[in-house]
Amino acid sequence: MKKITFFGDIMCEPTVLKGAKKGKTYDFNYIFSGVQSLLKGADYRIGNLETPLCSKEMGYCDDFADFGCPDSMADALKNANFDLLSTANNHSFDRKEEGLVYTIEQLEKRGLAHTGTFLPGTQREEAYYLD
């Protein structure tokens, strides 16, 4: 029997951003340290990425309702062994279309599977399938 584990609302609130600050960079690996046993115990891990990834120029989150996260969050998701990320949620456009595109590009750059939002000009006509 296979075990699928779902993680909801992976966010980057101002306190999370502050905790990840390491000099001039950000390291988000710490946010998954308390759930490592759940992550390692699953055959497949799905997470809801409830924050757009963005460059410093796009502006990181500075209040609770408007998220924007350094792309190093994608490194932490990769290190935590997430197999699939959903990007469709009420914060998908917190950094406008530019943030949505940047998020997808950063996930793809790291080989992280994702579904929910798609690059402009593309149309998803069928569901995400996993063999």
Side-chain angles (χ1 to χ4, degrees):
M1 181 192 303
K2 298 288 183 183
K3 181 178 180 182
I4 300 173
T5 301
F6 294 87
F7 289 83
D9 295 358
I10 300 166
M11 296 188 255
C12 185
E13 300 168 358
T15 54
V16 173
L17 185 66
K18 184 177 179 181
K21 183 95 168 119
K22 306 292 181 214
K24 293 183 179 184
T25 63
Y26 294 87
D27 181 352
F28 292 94
N29 288 295
Y30 83 96
I31 65 174
F32 300 109
S33 63
V35 294
Q36 281 300 312
S37 62
L38 293 172
L39 290 163
K40 289 180 180 176
D43 296 300
Y44 199 76
R45 292 148 293 272
I46 301 171
N48 175 36
L49 183 57
E50 185 89 9
T51 186
L53 304 177
C54 64
S55 66
K56 186 175 184 176
E57 295 74 32
M58 284 184 240
Y60 302 144
C61 65
D62 58 3
D63 77 37
F64 183 75
D66 187 26
F67 298 147
C69 186
D71 57 27
S72 57
M73 173 66 86
D75 296 325
L77 292 164
K78 180 82 173 175
N79 292 339
N81 295 312
F82 277 91
D83 297 291
L84 177 64
L85 296 166
S86 171
T87 55
N89 55 66
N90 59 311
H91 291 285
S92 297
F93 280 97
D94 280 5
R95 291 297 174 265
K96 314 282 188 265
E97 183 178 318
E98 181 182 18
L100 183 142
V101 169
Y102 190 87
T103 299
I104 292 170
E105 289 173 348
Q106 295 305 309
L107 296 176
E108 290 182 355
K109 178 179 174 182
R110 290 163 176 84
L112 287 161
H114 58 88
T115 191
T117 59
F118 306 95
L119 295 175
T122 64
Q123 184 177 13
R124 186 73 177 186
E125 294 185 14
E126 58 182 64
Y128 181 87
Y129 290 97
L130 168 71
D131 291 325

